[in-house]
Amino acid sequence: MKSNLFIKYFELIDKRASVLDYGSGDGPYKNMLKAYFKEYTSADYQVTNQHHSIRPDIFIDDNQQVNVDDQTFTCVVISEVLEHIYKPHNALNEIKRVLVPGGYVIGTVPFFMWEHEKPYDFHRYTYFGLKRMFKDNGFEIIKLDYVGDTIGVSAYCFSKVFSVFIKPFRKIKPLHFVLKLIIRIPSLIYYYVVKIQFVKSFLKKYFGEYPFGFVFVLKKLD
């Protein structure tokens, strides 16, 4: 869900010259970004990148900086990265530095998420925390949207919890396969039902305070 909305928001971008994939990891969006932009550059943290199979074009240093000139990129992508940055304001200042005037930032952050890439997992952001942080660092918020809700998170948790109990049946492959399908039923039902607009609106209104995360589009003010 989050990735679908994230990809959709690239339609809002009117500057397609160059993009920096900030915190690129294994480059899940690399091919898509190369199709959207004339020039693609990946950047990642050297310590955490050791756990990935793809090396970036440039490394991000301990101060969140990249070795490029000011106003180099027309867009910066930062997807599922801010929670791993202990001082996110430093990263946002650096992103602002490398963006051209009027350049864009497109990104995602989790709200519901287990600890991952330990020990480099520091934050979970609220809507209001993100809104203030982006404005304080000189960005206009074009989009800042909740993704998912309490019902979706609960369906996912149901599958996650019961997947532990079916592990003893892994050697009985047909049975294990059937059990996996059964415990995924709540998530599958949610996935398809939430496509209905009035259901999506209802869930957002009454259960939106516990989302999977957020997707945002920002624009550099100067």
Side-chain angles (χ1 to χ4, degrees), residues 111-128:
F111 182 81
F112 168 77
M113 173 66 77
W114 56 90
E115 291 181 341
H116 57 291
E117 294 218 16
K118 302 174 186 179
Y120 303 100
D121 189 6
F122 302 114
H123 305 287
R124 295 294 180 269
Y125 297 97
T126 66
Y127 176 92
F128 307 99

Side-chain angles (χ1 to χ4, degrees), residues 1 151-160 177-196 199 203 212:
M1 293 178 62
I151 304 301
V153 169
S154 298
Y156 178 84
C157 287
F158 173 88
S159 300
K160 192 77 173 175
F177 177 76
V178 171
L179 291 173
K180 280 177 66 177
L181 287 179
I182 291 172
I183 65 174
R184 288 189 63 199
I185 288 174
S187 293
L188 290 171
I189 292 174
Y190 172 82
Y191 178 80
Y192 287 105
V193 170
V194 80
K195 290 179 179 291
I196 303 171
V199 174
L203 293 178
F212 286 111

Side-chain angles (χ1 to χ4, degrees), residues 114-156:
W114 56 90
E115 291 181 341
H116 57 291
E117 294 218 16
K118 302 174 186 179
Y120 303 100
D121 189 6
F122 302 114
H123 305 287
R124 295 294 180 269
Y125 297 97
T126 66
Y127 176 92
F128 307 99
L130 290 169
K131 185 177 179 180
R132 180 167 179 174
M133 185 169 67
F134 294 151
K135 287 186 175 181
D136 285 351
N137 285 280
F139 292 100
E140 175 189 357
I141 298 172
I142 307 299
K143 292 282 187 180
L144 176 54
D145 290 325
Y146 288 80
V147 179
D149 48 65
T150 310
I151 304 301
V153 169
S154 298
Y156 178 84

